[in-house]
Amino acid sequence: MHSHHPLTHTQRDRAESFGPVAEQYDRFRPSYPAEMVDELLAGGARRVLDLGCGTGKAGRLFAARGVDVLGVEIDPAMAAVARSHGLAVEVSGFEDWDDAGRTFDLVISGQAWHWIDPAIGARKVVRLLSGGGELAVFWNFDEIADEEREILMRVYRELAPELVSAPGAGTDDTHRRRLEESGAFRTVEARTFPAQRAWPVDEWVGNLSTHSALLLLGPRLPAVLDRLRAALAERGPVVRTTGGTYLLRARP
């Protein structure tokens, strides 16, 4: 379950909280639709820049299609995991990253664009795009069924009440509006790739444990996860979710 209230780049405690769980992030976070990757490469892009590449969940999909992928990632531990999968990664925040005059056909950002200052990010991307290139930002989102959601909220209310209304990355129009208002892009198009998932309870809790709002619980996190795992397991062996991947394509 993820709230649709958008995160922003100013929340640096959350933006830079993932390093200690880099391996879990790589294991439990879902990947992205092959159909989306194919569509983004249909125009013939050969040079791809992956902003906030994390452990390379997105970048690896593009590299597997035979294109050159360069990741930019602020956290060294996340970057190390991405490199272990064969991706080239430069450790830096995008706003301060030195592009050294390089250009790209496609700039992507999976689960990370909301951590980038929109006043800087959009215009910097345009400078990096070669003629005909585009920016593609995307997020996975999942909503759990009402009964499981009530279990989740009950545990949160008891052990971590601040999570009841913790903001998520969002799949509303906030990010689209910010891209349009930047004045850097001629068109901004949105699309959702629907998906339904049946997660074994341990995998769903593992995924949840890598989200920034929970990571900020610090020493309280294990107790929350244990209680949630036990409560969900009493309900059944899987957690079913509906959602998918939300994509924004912006062209200068």
Side-chain angles (χ1 to χ4, degrees), residues 80-102:
V81 175
R83 289 175 180 142
S84 76
H85 291 292
L87 287 185
V89 184
E90 297 180 6
V91 176
S92 176
F94 178 56
E95 296 90 336
D96 301 321
W97 175 62
D98 180 6
D99 59 77
R102 291 166 288 185

Side-chain angles (χ1 to χ4, degrees), residues 7-87:
L7 293 166
T8 75
H9 69 284
T10 61
Q11 295 168 292
R12 300 318 302 171
D13 55 346
R14 294 185 63 171
E16 300 178 35
S17 64
F18 301 104
V21 294
E23 295 288 349
Q24 297 97 305
Y25 190 107
D26 195 49
R27 176 182 175 187
F28 292 117
R29 285 290 185 110
S31 188
Y32 302 98
E35 180 184 4
M36 181 188 76
V37 177
D38 291 339
E39 287 189 10
L40 292 174
L41 292 177
R46 301 300 303 170
R47 296 164 298 168
V48 177
L49 179 66
D50 186 358
L51 303 181
C53 70
T55 64
K57 300 289 287 190
R60 302 199 302 259
L61 301 177
F62 287 83
R65 304 299 202 277
V67 300
D68 293 327
V69 179
L70 174 64
V72 175
E73 169 56 43
I74 198 169
D75 188 276
M78 297 284 274
V81 175
R83 289 175 180 142
S84 76
H85 291 292
L87 287 185

Side-chain angles (χ1 to χ4, degrees), residues 151-201:
I151 292 171
L152 179 68
M153 290 296 105
R154 186 169 68 243
V155 172
Y156 282 0
R157 284 192 292 267
E158 179 183 353
L159 298 179
E162 66 267 41
L163 295 181
V164 173
S165 60
T171 57
D172 57 19
D173 286 336
T174 301
H175 300 299
R176 179 176 185 171
R177 186 177 67 253
R178 286 175 179 165
L179 288 172
E180 291 171 338
E181 291 175 350
S182 73
F185 300 101
R186 178 173 46 87
T187 62
V188 181
E189 300 174 354
R191 182 180 175 191
T192 297
F193 296 82
Q196 294 183 337
R197 298 185 176 96
W199 306 68
V201 168

